[in-house]
Amino acid sequence: MNTHTITAQSSPNIAFIKYWGNRDNTMRLPANGSISMNLDGLFTRTSVTFNASAQTDSLLINNKPVTGPGLTRVSYILDLVREMAKINERAEVKSENNFPAGAGIASSASAFAALALSASKAAGLNLSEPELSVLARRGSGSASRSIPAGFVEWQMGSNEKDCFAFSIAPVDHWNLVDCIAVVSAAHKKTGSTEGHALAGTSPLQNARVEDAPRRLEICRNAILKKDFEAFAAIIEHDSDIMHSVMMTSNPPLMYWQAATVGIFHEVRAWRAGGLPVGYTVDAGANVHVLCLGEKAKEVEKRLRELPGVENVLVAGVGDAAKIVS
Ligand code: DP6
């Protein structure tokens, strides 16, 4: 095959209805469906070159060589691509993020979405959007949602092939903005992969999963109808339910910091005072505060004044994963 380099770019996403726990950990078949929006302006850019003279796969993240479990996880996706494309060459992978990794802004989502797209193209494959979403999912569940554009739903599916994400509304459908209050940019203690495996140890997880279709429907409708009040209520509810499962698993996972809880109280007070806002938190301490575009400056300003807030990242609705060169 011809050796050439393909570079793809993908945005992380913020889940409004969360993925937490798998029915199959190896295949990353989730216990429930989830809904998210891609985050514009934040991205991972990944280049893949299959090279007949390379002895092993190699990985550079932000110009630093990565070996061990990080490389193994990337090689796992490269193996799937090699199998599909019927090639044997090892690959050189170079990846760069423009946002801090491991701090509740899911870097694995944009990383594996960009890898799935660049590696499959570099291997000469032309995968469909659902096929790319499935491939990205094998690297990181939430990465399945960073393949399609805008507002995205990841359906549970009934098997490995129909477990993919699709767009439920395009980028320009609704001018939502995510103001991410960075509380701690330090690397999180328990990664999502280990966390998913613990979900079933919480007595609350079954109730969370059983009730998921109801929450998905409310959230999907709120997005489609651009009903911010219903949207804010359901995202806070869903985030609080997921964190209840995390806190009651064995061993328990407590991702919140004091500042995290402080922001919850502020957000609720702001809403009561007439500013439309709602919060959600992934597997970290940072608080994602959602609002409409015209309120983003005000929300950012208020968040910056709060104790424990180190930085605020502001992101609108992001596009699909795409090839950049
Ligand atoms: C809390 O997709 O990071 O952000 O599949 O093990 O890579 P792996 O997990 P990951 O889990 C994301 C968990 C979450 C909620 C969500 O994004 O839906």
Side-chain angles (χ1 to χ4, degrees):
M1 70 178 279
N2 291 330
T3 342
H4 55 272
T5 303
I6 298 286
T7 305
Q9 176 178 314
S10 166
S11 292
N13 64 76
I14 177 64
F16 300 142
I17 301 299
K18 308 290 190 186
Y19 150 51
W20 196 247
N22 286 308
R23 55 193 207 274
D24 181 330
N25 280 320
T26 312
M27 285 299 194
R28 288 191 157 84
L29 299 177
N32 61 277
S34 53
I35 292 178
S36 61
M37 116 181 172
N38 289 337
L39 298 175
D40 189 37
L42 307 179
F43 60 81
T44 301
R45 211 169 260 180
T46 300
S47 303
V48 175
T49 317
F50 286 98
N51 182 347
S53 53
Q55 300 293 308
T56 55
D57 292 327
S58 63
L59 173 63
L60 281 182
I61 299 181
N62 295 332
N63 282 318
K64 289 198 193 85
V66 174
T67 55
L71 176 60
T72 306
R73 202 164 161 185
V74 164
S75 284
Y76 177 71
I77 296 303
L78 295 169
D79 284 341
L80 293 174
V81 168
R82 283 187 279 256
E83 199 179 300
M84 281 190 275
K86 302 194 169 46
I87 60 167
N88 269 312
E89 286 88 345
R90 302 298 104 182
E92 288 162 11
V93 179
K94 288 183 192 157
S95 193
E96 278 178 23
N97 292 318
N98 72 346
F99 57 95
I105 304 155
S107 58
S108 67
S110 50
F112 283 98
L115 178 67
L117 182 54
S118 53
S120 60
K121 276 274 180 204
L125 296 168
N126 256 317
L127 301 185
S128 66
E129 186 179 274
E131 287 168 334
L132 282 168
S133 178
V134 164
L135 179 61
R137 190 201 82 218
R138 298 286 297 270
S140 176
S142 56
S144 68
R145 297 188 310 242
S146 279
I147 294 289
F151 298 87
V152 173
E153 179 160 354
W154 173 17
Q155 65 186 10
M156 282 179 69
S158 56
N159 59 56
E160 130 76 6
K161 285 206 162 58
D162 68 3
C163 183
F164 57 80
F166 52 90
S167 184
I168 56 171
V171 173
D172 62 3
H173 166 71
W174 198 17
N175 185 14
L176 267 190
V177 171
D178 183 7
C179 300
I180 308 162
V182 179
V183 162
S184 160
H187 215 80
K188 64 193 178 201
K189 286 189 215 106
T190 307
S192 304
T193 305
E194 291 163 73
H196 289 295
L198 296 177
T201 65
S202 165
L204 306 183
Q205 171 71 347
N206 277 345
R208 193 190 78 85
V209 168
E210 267 173 39
D211 180 60
R214 178 189 71 91
R215 300 192 307 278
L216 284 163
E217 192 184 344
I218 294 172
C219 184
R220 196 186 302 119
N221 286 338
I223 291 170
L224 296 178
K225 291 182 191 151
K226 305 181 213 177
D227 178 347
F228 191 86
E229 205 182 320
F231 173 76
I234 196 66
I235 68 170
E236 291 188 0
H237 181 57
D238 189 85
S239 174
D240 291 348
I241 292 177
M242 178 182 73
H243 284 272
S244 303
V245 168
M246 291 164 158
M247 287 176 211
T248 52
S249 67
N250 183 15
L253 301 174
M254 168 58 85
Y255 288 105
W256 296 348
Q257 297 291 327
T260 311
V261 182
I263 298 168
F264 296 166
H265 288 291
E266 293 292 338
V267 165
R268 289 183 172 184
W270 297 345
R271 191 162 62 235
L275 181 68
V277 277
Y279 68 76
T280 185
V281 181
D282 278 345
N286 298 341
V287 185
H288 294 249
V289 180
L290 278 297
C291 66
L292 296 173
E294 67 258 27
K295 305 289 187 204
K297 279 267 169 302
E298 174 68 18
V299 172
E300 180 186 358
K301 182 176 149 282
R302 290 194 191 192
L303 286 172
R304 285 191 187 278
E305 286 163 1
L306 297 181
V309 174
E310 291 172 1
N311 193 12
V312 180
L313 308 175
V314 179
V317 187
D319 213 342
K322 60 177 188 225
I323 301 287
V324 288
S325 68

